[in-house]
Amino acid sequence: MPQRNNGLEEKALRLIMESENGILQCEMWKRLGLSSREGSRLAQRLEEKGEIERDRVLYEGRWTYKLNSKRRHVSLTSIKDSPCLRCDDIDRCFEGGERSPISCEYLTRWIMENSGEGRRG
Amino acid sequence: MNSNEENLLELVEILGGEEGVKIVKALRESGDTTVEEISAKTGIQINNVRRLLYKLYNHSLVTSRRSRDKDTGWFIFQWRLQPELVDAYIQGVKQKILKKLKTRLEYEQQHEFYHCGSSSCPKVAFEEAIETVFKCPSCGRPLNPLDNSASIDFLKKKIEELEEELKV
């Protein structure tokens, strides 16, 4: 049942990504309603796929793993106000093209507003 | 709401405004849904729902499934969200924007600029300023040299920020 597994992997990844300093493997399988064995195999699969890192740690006298996501949190913040994000011509815009980042008035205005160019005389 | 869904809603608001957000919320609640059902649920006109869905489809934020109505023989399109592709979409757009900013930075570094001082007029590169005898091509006022170092600094900073975010 690959689809079920992929869904579970995605859920586990989300859980791991949402925990700022990583999550204990035992915490992960408990929260996903899995058994210890299922949780361990799931974490191993994610590690093999290069999605997470597993560090062996001692927790309440028992060895377990701390799971950390290798995926970085993707945020819109850095491009949120960029005119290119809203532009329908983004794929037709290149130097010498129908639209160009050199002459685009929206891009020029955005740069000027954010840099303060022109206001300094 | 997880970070994927937060990003999706933020993105849809930018691309499709308030109506786009209403459509996405309706899709999130119902799963596979037809245009007519979305329209009934959101109160947005059918043609606007369709237009916005196609826009979101072009950005891979929604997908559709086609089936045939047994009675009429017509095709039925059912739409659903693709929140799992949002992060990949954002990273892809960042790559495109980064490329454009690098092109622009190179241009800013290699040219001298002139400006008439009016905020509604564009700045003019030296080559174009010569052609207009140092008069603004938009308003006709005299052009003065423009220090574009602030633009260069801003572009460098933005490029660095995007490169850092795109690092694997």
Side-chain angles (χ1 to χ4, degrees):
Chain A
M1 299 256 267
Q3 210 172 0
R4 184 181 169 270
N5 283 343
N6 285 343
L8 198 56
E9 284 178 16
E10 198 55 43
K11 267 189 199 166
L13 258 181
R14 242 178 245 164
L15 198 61
I16 299 165
M17 277 175 78
E18 278 160 17
S19 52
E20 245 175 67
N21 302 313
I23 185 170
L24 290 170
Q25 188 168 291
C26 55
E27 175 79 16
M28 182 269 287
W29 58 257
K30 276 178 201 162
R31 282 172 66 177
L32 289 175
L34 303 172
S35 68
S36 156
R37 178 189 290 201
E38 284 171 324
S40 165
R41 289 191 175 156
L42 179 60
Q44 271 177 32
R45 272 204 305 278
L46 292 174
E47 189 184 29
E48 280 162 17
K49 287 185 175 177
E51 296 280 9
I52 60 165
E53 277 171 352
R54 290 204 306 164
D55 297 317
R56 203 154 178 252
V57 290
L58 196 60
Y59 176 69
E60 291 181 350
R62 300 178 72 127
W63 285 103
T64 181
Y65 287 95
K66 185 82 171 266
L67 313 178
N68 279 295
S69 171
K70 282 177 153 182
R71 272 195 210 175
R72 299 177 65 160
H73 176 70
V74 174
S75 157
L76 258 179
T77 313
S78 60
I79 54 167
K80 204 174 166 183
D81 65 343
S82 160
C84 306
L85 180 63
R86 293 155 178 79
C87 184
D88 290 333
D89 290 326
I90 189 166
D91 292 317
R92 286 187 286 270
C93 174
F94 48 88
E95 199 175 354
E98 189 183 330
R99 294 250 173 200
S100 164
I102 285 169
S103 55
C104 175
E105 57 176 303
Y106 302 108
L107 186 63
T108 304
R109 199 174 304 147
W110 179 66
I111 295 169
M112 287 179 89
E113 279 169 5
N114 282 283
S115 65
E117 184 188 287
R119 284 200 290 269
R120 295 180 188 177
Chain B
M1 204 185 330
N2 62 45
S3 62
N4 260 356
E5 283 173 333
E6 273 172 31
N7 276 343
L8 175 66
L9 281 179
E10 209 173 343
L11 198 53
V12 168
E13 194 173 2
I14 292 168
L15 299 172
E18 224 173 276
E19 291 195 333
V21 172
K22 276 189 190 170
I23 291 172
V24 167
K25 284 185 176 166
L27 283 172
R28 202 174 53 179
E29 285 163 18
S30 323
D32 286 8
T33 320
T34 64
V35 169
E36 290 76 12
E37 286 165 345
I38 299 171
S39 173
K41 210 167 181 181
T42 58
I44 302 168
Q45 278 191 349
I46 284 184
N47 50 352
N48 277 347
V49 173
R50 202 168 277 130
R51 180 180 57 80
L52 285 164
L53 281 174
Y54 278 120
K55 189 165 189 177
L56 300 179
Y57 179 80
N58 285 337
H59 295 289
S60 308
L61 301 174
V62 296
T63 185
S64 70
R65 201 166 52 115
R66 195 181 71 166
S67 58
R68 203 181 274 276
D69 187 310
K70 279 178 195 155
D71 300 327
T72 62
W74 289 10
F75 284 124
I76 303 168
F77 288 89
Q78 288 190 302
W79 297 84
R80 69 183 149 86
L81 297 174
Q82 299 198 107
E84 66 279 10
L85 295 187
V86 175
D87 283 359
Y89 173 77
I90 294 173
Q91 294 297 78
V93 173
K94 280 184 185 173
Q95 289 278 11
K96 289 177 190 174
I97 293 177
L98 176 64
K99 208 168 163 191
K100 289 176 208 317
L101 296 186
K102 282 183 172 175
T103 306
R104 181 64 183 240
L105 175 63
E106 206 181 309
Y107 178 72
E108 293 280 342
Q109 285 173 324
Q110 290 173 354
H111 290 79
E112 264 179 41
F113 293 94
Y114 291 81
H115 194 238
C116 64
S118 163
S119 58
S120 56
C121 297
K123 62 182 180 183
V124 179
F126 176 73
E127 294 78 0
E128 198 186 340
I130 285 186
E131 281 176 25
T132 59
V133 204
F134 292 91
K135 291 225 165 94
C136 176
S138 302
C139 69
R141 284 163 62 189
L143 291 169
N144 295 309
L146 178 76
D147 175 13
N148 69 339
S149 55
S151 285
I152 290 175
D153 289 346
F154 169 71
L155 284 165
K156 280 183 179 169
K157 234 170 95 185
K158 207 67 191 170
I159 287 169
E160 205 178 298
E161 188 182 357
L162 288 176
E163 278 178 338
E164 181 58 36
E165 287 181 359
L166 289 167
K167 253 190 213 166
V168 183

